[in-house]
Amino acid sequence: MKTVSIVGSTGSIGTQTVDVVMRHPDEYRVVAIGAHSSVDLLAAQAHQLHPEVVALGDPSRREELMGRLPEGTELIVGEQSFAAISGIADVAVNGVVGFAGLSVTVATLRAGRRLALANKESLIAAAPVVQRARATEGAEIVPVDSEHCAIHQCLGPQHHRAGVASVDEFYQAPRQLRRMLLTASGGPFRGRSLNELRQVTVNEALAHPTWKMGPKITIDSSTLMNMGLEVIEAHELFGVDYDQIEVVVHPQSIVHSMVEWSDGATICQLSYPDMRLPIGYALAYPDRYQEPFGAIDWTTLGSLDFSSPDLATFRCLDLAFAAGREGGSAPAWLSAANEVAVEAFLGGGIAWTTIADIVDETMQHHQPTDLIEVEDVLDADRRAREVARDIALAVVG
Ligand code: MG
C-alpha cells in the first residue's frame, strides 16, 4: 500500500490522479489533497477519498469549506498548507498550475519522498534550489509530463538514480546517449504563418487538437513555449546538454519522446494521449500500473508524421533554448514573463503574437541573480513579473 498526497487535486492532473488511485484503492491510499480555491470539488473529493488532511490555499474560502468535510479530516489553510501536505506521503503528485507549485516540489524533495512532477514551472524557475533539495536521501523525481515520462521509460532504470547533489552527477548524462528527441504536437496553429496568426482568438488557441489540458498549458502548447519549457525541464531532469536536445513536431501525439543511443538505435514510448498513463507510471514505478491507459490499436492507428518546428513563427521555442543555455535566473524570468503574457492574452488584452514579444523584451531586461534559497527565486520571479507587466501595459496602452 502506497500513500499519496495530491496537490492541485481539483485541476486537470489532480482529477485524473483521483481516477487512477480510485481504480485500485487496495494499492493506493490518498492521505492528503489540496487545491487553491475550488471548494465544491475539494469537499466532494474529501468524501470520496477520506484523506487525513485537506489543504486550502485561499484563506478567504475557509468558511465555505468548513463543516463540509468528513468526520476526522483536518482542514489546513493558507499559503504554507501545500508544503505541509507534500512531505507526508510516499508519493506527492504536484499538479499545481504555474509557479505556485514550487513549494510542493521543494517540500516533497526535502522530506526525502517521491515527487510525481506535473508542474514544470517549479523545476524550471528554481532549478538550482530544486537540484539541491533533490540530493536529500530518498528524494526522487518521477516526471508526469508525458514527454519526460516517456524519456524516463526509454532510458530505463539503470539510468535512474536518486539522492545525488547536482545535475552533473545526476544520470552522469550517459555517454552513450546521442540525442534526446522531445515530440511536440505543434498545437492548433501548426502550419500557419506569423501573419495568419495575428488575429487568432483565445478560443482558437484553447482548442488543442490532441490533449485536453488546463488553459495556461494549452496556450503554451499553441506558442510552443510549452515545448520550450519542456526542453529546460529535460535538461534539469536528465542532465543532458542543450546541444543534445532536439524538438520534433509530431501532430498525432502518439510517440511521446525518444532517446537515440551512440549506436544509432532510437527507443521511443508510444500510447494514445492519456495522462493517466504517466500518472499511473509515476505512482507505480519501478513496478507498472495494473491496467492500460492509451494502449495502441495497431489495426486502426494509421500513419505517424514527423517534421521540424517552424522557429520563425513559434519564437517562444528559441527564447526558451536561449534562457536555458544562459541558466541561473534566466529560466525563472522566462517562465514568469510567459505567465504574465499568457494571462494578458487570456484576458483579451493582447494579440497571440504579442506573447513572444513580451517574453523576448522581458528577457532583454533580465538581471542575473544567484538562486540559493526559495526566497531568491521568489525575488527573481517578482522582478521579472514587474518588468513583464510594464511591457504588457505599454502594448495594451
Ligand atoms: Mg508535456
Side-chain angles (χ1 to χ4, degrees), residues 134-387:
R134 194 182 188 184
T136 309
E137 175 85 38
E140 67 177 334
I141 303 176
V142 181
V144 170
D145 209 342
S146 61
E147 295 80 3
H148 307 82
C149 185
I151 297 279
H152 199 270
Q153 295 175 63
C154 293
L155 287 173
Q158 70 272 28
H159 297 296
H160 303 153
R161 294 195 300 130
V164 289
S166 67
V167 181
D168 300 336
E169 273 181 67
F170 195 76
Y171 284 102
Q172 300 285 339
R175 241 173 267 127
Q176 308 92 320
L177 183 81
R178 218 170 130 228
R179 289 192 292 172
M180 212 165 251
L181 299 132
L182 300 177
T183 49
S185 72
F189 303 145
R190 180 178 53 86
R192 294 215 223 166
S193 72
L194 199 54
N195 241 340
E196 292 169 325
L197 291 170
R198 289 190 200 283
Q199 306 294 333
V200 293
T201 65
V202 171
N203 280 338
E204 287 174 272
L206 284 175
H208 196 278
T210 49
W211 290 102
K212 207 171 157 5
M213 306 173 290
K216 198 263 177 184
I217 188 171
T218 305
I219 300 301
D220 286 349
S221 295
S222 79
T223 61
L224 289 200
M225 179 58 95
N226 184 56
M227 189 41 63
L229 295 174
E230 289 180 346
V231 166
I232 301 175
E233 190 183 2
H235 168 81
E236 296 297 341
L237 279 172
F238 304 113
V240 284
D241 290 344
Y242 283 100
D243 293 338
Q244 285 179 287
I245 305 173
E246 285 176 37
V247 172
V248 179
V249 174
H250 167 49
Q252 291 88 1
S253 300
I254 300 290
V255 172
H256 295 299
S257 278
M258 316 177 245
V259 295
E260 185 188 303
W261 298 101
S262 52
D263 59 2
T266 296
I267 310 293
C268 64
Q269 184 254 318
L270 293 82
S271 53
Y272 293 118
D274 188 331
M275 286 310 292
R276 292 175 301 177
L277 192 161
I279 291 166
Y281 175 84
L283 293 177
Y285 178 82
D287 293 334
R288 285 276 176 177
Y289 189 75
Q290 304 89 315
E291 63 177 278
F293 295 113
I296 300 222
D297 176 359
W298 297 97
T299 63
T300 59
L301 179 65
S303 58
L304 301 176
D305 301 303
F306 302 92
S307 60
S308 295
D310 169 5
L311 296 174
T313 302
F314 300 95
R315 294 167 48 216
C316 287
L317 185 54
D318 261 354
L319 291 169
F321 261 103
R325 287 198 163 97
E326 191 176 346
S329 54
W333 275 62
L334 177 90
S335 178
N338 180 57
E339 281 192 32
V340 169
V342 170
E343 271 167 39
F345 173 69
L346 285 171
I350 62 164
W352 180 89
T353 46
T354 308
I355 296 173
D357 295 335
I358 291 174
V359 175
D360 191 0
E361 205 175 324
T362 305
M363 293 314 291
Q364 290 172 34
H365 290 81
H366 170 226
Q367 301 142 351
T369 47
D370 289 333
L371 306 183
I372 312 290
E373 288 300 328
V374 170
E375 201 44 55
D376 303 323
V377 184
L378 296 173
D379 282 343
D381 178 77
R382 217 173 287 133
R383 186 76 198 104
R385 277 170 204 269
E386 281 168 15
V387 172

Side-chain angles (χ1 to χ4, degrees), residues 108-128:
T108 305
L109 295 174
R110 284 186 181 163
R113 303 300 180 120
R114 174 181 301 175
L115 175 67
L117 182 64
N119 172 282
K120 54 178 69 89
E121 290 87 347
S122 57
L123 179 61
I124 289 158

Side-chain angles (χ1 to χ4, degrees), residues 88-110:
I88 63 172
D90 298 323
V91 186
V93 178
N94 186 354
V96 174
V97 176
F99 185 69
L102 176 59
S103 67
V104 178
T105 291
V106 172
T108 305
L109 295 174
R110 284 186 181 163

Side-chain angles (χ1 to χ4, degrees), residues 1-2 4 17-30 280 283-284 288-293:
M1 172 78 81
K2 271 183 186 156
V4 182
T17 305
V18 171
D19 179 10
V20 170
V21 298
M22 285 297 285
R23 287 162 186 265
H24 295 278
D26 49 320
E27 298 270 336
Y28 307 105
R29 187 163 65 85
V30 176
L283 293 177
R288 285 276 176 177
Y289 189 75
Q290 304 89 315
E291 63 177 278
F293 295 113

